[in-house]
């Protein structure tokens, strides 16, 4: 999944791997039934049989047969699911996930599809754990397979998770409706009862009923369409490969598509609203190129017959890697040469590269549990760089990787950062794992390992990992084991190609580097693979630092030493004893002696650079938005534009106004969700917050509308996290800090579940200390300059 680009500084703790998650021992409370969930069916005196957040491991789903009938007029859906299960312990209960679904019938059948009971089975609900328990009067026997059959229904969700409604407006002003899904991490349970954990992989056979004016899409191709009652059509999709529930997807819409075929015969289609159909051509070109590249890089054929990419008008994140049906924000997939910039083109290319990398790293091999989500997201983030560099070198993606690592280092400097792999049990904790640590720090650690091991060895280790765990689940350590045993310290220092079978047998990396302990929490010692170069030669020197302090004999007289060549290592360098003066002198006299990556790295290490806008159209719009007429004209253009990229630039410009009333109006329009879509509200809040006239405006808006924002975006989501961190990031006075602390205290129960609140407080305290330490010096300097 790709998170949305936001105009906010990402900030980063030199800790990487935490402990494995443990199942919650908290006892289930007595079942309660809030609005939207009916009372249990025939529960009698039965109590809920399971107390843990994680499902029992002794019932394994094998195959889902899922039928769904969404009604885009009533904005509701009905469905049924028949799940083949493998029972590995005698039990009378089946416990699985369900959230907000009305369960109307539940039965259990044996292998011959004979009912185990003549009665409808009792269904108990535990809403706090989003689970249901189905009671069987006959014992389900160890070693036997059964079929669990459930009928259900619900309203299409209002937000951006589960099976939710979306709308778009045509150029004539007509509003059209579609239904789409977003299940990662824990929302498949909002669409159908299921074993909604990544370790429960199964096959899915999906059928969708629809009106003839719509089409339906899912992970697999349609194999048959039949007419059913009332003129409805039923699309029957081919059975899927074995996959996790969060990767299941289906869309019902009236979109149009363009199609092409990869060199290996995979059919690639791009879907968008009919009037935006012409903006799909670039994405089609990229997707075909990327699939061809990944099949060669991973040396594993893409396992499905098709890959659909679809632009959803209402979409909270940047994109989602559902297997065979990747979903995107319109800004992440559509490209209009008349209104889109080069930066928009790079973004579309990177996002497609990210989601298609997931088809192998994440979909084919999936993390066992969400504590290791960095295995998915860190790798896909890094593959954005590798894939775009290989297929579109003119886009100069190298700068993007530098900024990715800058963001990671910045966040890691805060006490509120976390290990790269951290415990996460409930849905709120799990959503918070999709953050800068998992994405950016994960990518930068992989970048360092790639340069440590060499490109070829890194690639062979990745292929080894993917082949070994295909259609299965893996842990953090499984990746390290696949990358280890390929390189000795001597080979690394000499810069030689590292891999050989004899070196592997010596377990050299485990001895000299020990990837596992290398990635422990900050209390442990890092083994740092240092690289450096000097003015004496063009050779890149290597040294493995394994102690708290170390010294390197340069060997000859040199004028300067640049450490961390091209910023391939994940660490910050400080040049003492006049070292910075030497680097400054070098840059003034002969800056080409260092690569642009090295020059950028030096500046970043010294000043912690600030994501400035470079797009010309955006700058022009921003100037135009300063007067009343220009602002009103831009808002009108925003309202009628069919280009999502253009709308993004205009929205940024509108938030540059110095008129607080205009900024307040934008926030209200975002909350209303008509002119400015709700999916853009979190970005809008951050844009207003970074405007000096909007700091307190945005923060007061968040405080006033907190409950509505949580309802829209869900507690723990990256949108809520960015809203909290972004609106407080400019605060630097004791009064502002006290105000934020007071608000967090007023929402104590929610704030205690969010890591973002501590990040926000850390940032403000850091700002406060900076001002206390530097304000007087800065004021004196400015006064001297003005004399």
């Amino acid at each position: 999944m790709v998170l949305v680009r936001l105009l906010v500084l990402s900030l980063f703790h030199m800790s990487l791997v935490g402990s494995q998650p443990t199942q919650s021992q908290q006892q289930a409370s007595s079942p309660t039934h809030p609005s939207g969930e009916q009372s249990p069916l025939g529960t009698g005196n039965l109590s809920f049989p399971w107390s843990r957040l994680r499902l029992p491991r002794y019932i394994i789903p094998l195959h889902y047969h899922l039928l769904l009938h969404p009604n885009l007029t009533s904005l509701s859906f009905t469905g049924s699911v028949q799940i083949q299960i493998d029972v590995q312990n005698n039990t009378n209960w089946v416990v699985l996930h369900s959230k907000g679904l009305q369960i109307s019938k539940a039965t259990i059948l044996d292998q011959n599809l004979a009912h185990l009971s003549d009665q409808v089975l009792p269904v108990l609900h535990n809403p706090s754990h989003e689970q249901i328990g189905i009671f069987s009067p006959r014992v389900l026997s160890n070693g036997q397979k059964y079929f669990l059959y459930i009928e259900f229904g619900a309203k299409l969700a209002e937000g951006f998770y589960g099976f939710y409604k979306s709308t778009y407006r045509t150029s004539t002003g007509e509003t059209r409706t579609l239904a789409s899904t977003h299940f990662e991490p824990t929302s498949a349970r909002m669409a159908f009862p299921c074993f909604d954990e990544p370790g429960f992989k199964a096959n899915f056979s999906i059928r969708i009923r629809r009106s003839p004016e719509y089409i339906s899409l899912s992970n697999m191709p349609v194999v048959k369409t039949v007419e059913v009652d009332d003129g409805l059509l039923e699309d029957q999709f081919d059975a899927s490969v074995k996959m996790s529930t969060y990767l299941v997807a289906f869309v019902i819409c009236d979109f149009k598509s363009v199609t092409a075929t990869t060199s290996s015969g995979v059919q690639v289609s791009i879907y968008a609203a009919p009037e935006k159909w012409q903006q799909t051509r670039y994405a089609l070109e990229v997707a075909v190129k990327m699939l061809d590249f990944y099949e060669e890089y991973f040396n594993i054929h893409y396992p499905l017959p098709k890959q659909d990419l679809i632009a959803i008008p209402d979409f909270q994140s940047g994109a989602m890697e559902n297997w065979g049906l990747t979903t995107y924000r319109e800004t992440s997939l559509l490209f209009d040469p008349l209104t889109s910039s080069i930066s928009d083109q790079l973004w579309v290319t990177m996002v497609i590269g990210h989601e298609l990398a997931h088809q192998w790293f994440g979909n084919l091999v999936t993390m066992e549990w969400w504590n290791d989500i960095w295995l998915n997201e860190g790798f896909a983030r890094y593959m954005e760089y590798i894939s775009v560099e290989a297929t579109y070198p003119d886009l100069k993606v190298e700068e993007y990787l530098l900024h990715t690592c800058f963001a990671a280092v910045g966040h890691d400097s805060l006490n509120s950062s976390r290990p790269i792999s951290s415990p996460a049990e409930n849905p709120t904790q799990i959503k918070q794992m999709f953050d800068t640590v998992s994405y950016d720090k994960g990518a930068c650690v992989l970048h360092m390992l790639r340069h440590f091991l060499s490109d070829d060895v890194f690639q062979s280790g990745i292929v080894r990992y993917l082949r070994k765990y295909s259609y299965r689940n893996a842990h953090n350590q499984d990746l390290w084991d696949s990358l280890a045993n390929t390189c000795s310290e001597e080979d690394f220092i000499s810069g030689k190609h590292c891999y050989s079978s004899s070196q592997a047998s010596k377990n050299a990396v485990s001895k000299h580097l020990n990837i596992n302990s290398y990635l422990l929490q900050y209390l442990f010692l890092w083994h740092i693979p240092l690289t450096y170069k000097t003015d004496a030669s063009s050779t890149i020197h290597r040294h493995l630092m394994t102690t708290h302090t170390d010294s390197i004999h340069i060997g000859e007289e040199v004028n300067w030493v640049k450490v961390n060549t091209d910023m391939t290592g994940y660490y910050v360098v400080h040049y003492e004893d006049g070292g910075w003066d030497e680097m400054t002198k070098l840059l003034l006299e002969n800056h080409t002696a260092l690569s642009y990556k090295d020059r950028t790295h030096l500046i970043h290490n010294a000043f912690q650079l600030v994501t400035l806008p470079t797009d010309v159209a955006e700058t022009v719009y921003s100037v135009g938005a300063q007067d009343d007429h220009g602002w009103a004209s831009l808002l009108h253009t925003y309202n009628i534009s069919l280009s999502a990229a253009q709308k993004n630039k205009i929205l940024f410009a509108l938030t540059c106004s110095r008129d607080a009333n205009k900024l307040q109006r934008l926030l209200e329009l975002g909350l209303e969700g008509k002119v400015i879509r709700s999916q853009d509200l979190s970005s809008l809040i951050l844009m207003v917050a970074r405007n000096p006239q909007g700091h307190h405006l945005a923060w007061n808006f968040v405080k006033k509308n907190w409950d509505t924002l949580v309802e829209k975006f869900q507690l723990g989501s990256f949108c809520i996290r960015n809203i909290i961190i972004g609106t407080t990031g400019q605060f630097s006075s004791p009064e502002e800090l006290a105000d934020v602390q007071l608000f967090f205290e007023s929402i104590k129960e929610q704030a205690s579940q969010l890591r973002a609140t501590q990040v926000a407080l850390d940032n403000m305290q850091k700002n406060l200390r900076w001002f206390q330490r530097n304000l007087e010096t800065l004021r004196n300097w400015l006064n001297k300059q003005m004399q």
Side-chain angles (χ1 to χ4, degrees), residues 336-354:
D336 182 358
L338 297 177
T339 59
S340 300
S341 65
I342 294 298
S343 63
D344 296 323
Q345 183 182 8
L346 175 60
W347 175 248
V348 168
T349 312
M350 289 193 305
V351 173
I352 294 175
H354 181 108

Side-chain angles (χ1 to χ4, degrees), residues 555-590:
E556 59 264 318
E557 286 294 322
V558 298
N559 294 313
W560 53 263
V561 177
K562 168 62 177 67
V563 182
N564 197 358
T565 304
D566 287 339
M567 199 185 165
T568 57
Y570 187 71
Y571 50 87
V572 174
V573 180
H574 174 53
Y575 297 89
E576 290 186 331
D577 301 327
W580 281 113
D581 292 336
E582 290 297 330
M583 302 311 295
T584 302
K585 181 181 178 183
L586 171 65
L587 293 175
L588 289 172
E589 295 177 352
N590 181 21

Side-chain angles (χ1 to χ4, degrees), residues 20-77:
Q20 296 294 316
T22 57
Q23 294 191 355
S24 171
Q25 301 300 314
Q26 180 182 356
Q27 294 295 312
S29 57
S30 299
T32 56
H33 311 286
S35 176
E37 294 200 10
Q38 79 282 14
S39 298
L41 298 175
T43 55
N45 294 321
L46 297 172
S47 59
F48 201 82
W50 189 250
S51 64
R52 299 178 181 179
L53 280 166
R54 300 276 290 274
L55 295 179
R57 312 306 294 174
Y58 52 79
I59 295 182
I60 308 298
L62 302 176
H63 199 132
Y64 292 76
H65 292 269
L66 177 63
L67 170 64
L68 286 165
H69 178 200
N71 187 319
L72 298 188
T73 302
S74 66
L75 301 179
S76 61
F77 66 94

Side-chain angles (χ1 to χ4, degrees), residues 421-442:
S421 180
S422 305
E425 287 295 302
N426 65 48
T428 298
Q429 293 169 343
I430 290 168
K431 288 185 182 75
Q432 292 184 87
M433 294 297 290
F434 293 81
D435 63 2
T436 316
V437 175
S438 291
Y439 284 76
D440 295 351
K441 183 173 179 178

Side-chain angles (χ1 to χ4, degrees), residues 511-673:
K511 177 182 177 183
H512 293 289
L513 174 62
N514 194 336
I515 292 179
N516 186 36
S517 61
Y518 162 68
L519 294 170
L520 284 172
Q521 296 194 41
Y522 67 94
L523 294 176
F524 293 82
L525 178 67
W526 281 45
H527 291 192
I528 302 177
L530 291 174
T531 57
Y532 66 93
K533 59 186 176 184
T534 72
D535 63 332
S537 72
S538 59
T539 302
I540 296 176
H541 302 275
R542 298 162 181 262
H543 175 78
L544 195 63
M545 186 174 177
T546 60
T547 59
H548 283 96
T549 60
D550 202 352
S551 60
I552 303 170
H553 180 61
I554 301 300
E556 59 264 318
E557 286 294 322
V558 298
N559 294 313
W560 53 263
V561 177
K562 168 62 177 67
V563 182
N564 197 358
T565 304
D566 287 339
M567 199 185 165
T568 57
Y570 187 71
Y571 50 87
V572 174
V573 180
H574 174 53
Y575 297 89
E576 290 186 331
D577 301 327
W580 281 113
D581 292 336
E582 290 297 330
M583 302 311 295
T584 302
K585 181 181 178 183
L586 171 65
L587 293 175
L588 289 172
E589 295 177 352
N590 181 21
H591 69 278
T592 58
L594 299 177
S595 70
Y596 86 89
K597 291 181 183 179
D598 276 333
R599 299 195 300 270
T600 306
H601 178 233
L602 284 171
I603 297 171
H604 170 263
N605 276 197
F607 297 107
Q608 294 287 301
L609 286 179
V610 181
T611 56
L612 295 176
T614 57
D615 186 88
V616 174
E618 198 171 76
T619 303
V620 172
Y621 291 155
S622 299
V623 173
Q626 296 308 310
D627 65 64
D628 292 346
H629 175 74
W631 196 90
S633 176
L634 280 168
L635 183 60
H636 173 71
T637 304
Y638 178 90
N639 198 22
I640 63 174
S641 174
L642 292 177
S643 167
Q646 184 184 41
K647 289 169 80 80
N648 257 14
K649 295 177 180 63
I650 293 174
L651 188 60
F652 174 83
L654 290 170
T655 64
C656 290
S657 172
R658 298 185 182 91
D659 186 335
N661 291 326
K662 289 185 172 64
L663 299 179
Q664 183 65 42
R665 183 183 173 194
L666 289 174
L667 292 171
E668 291 168 357
L669 288 173
L671 191 66
E672 182 186 52

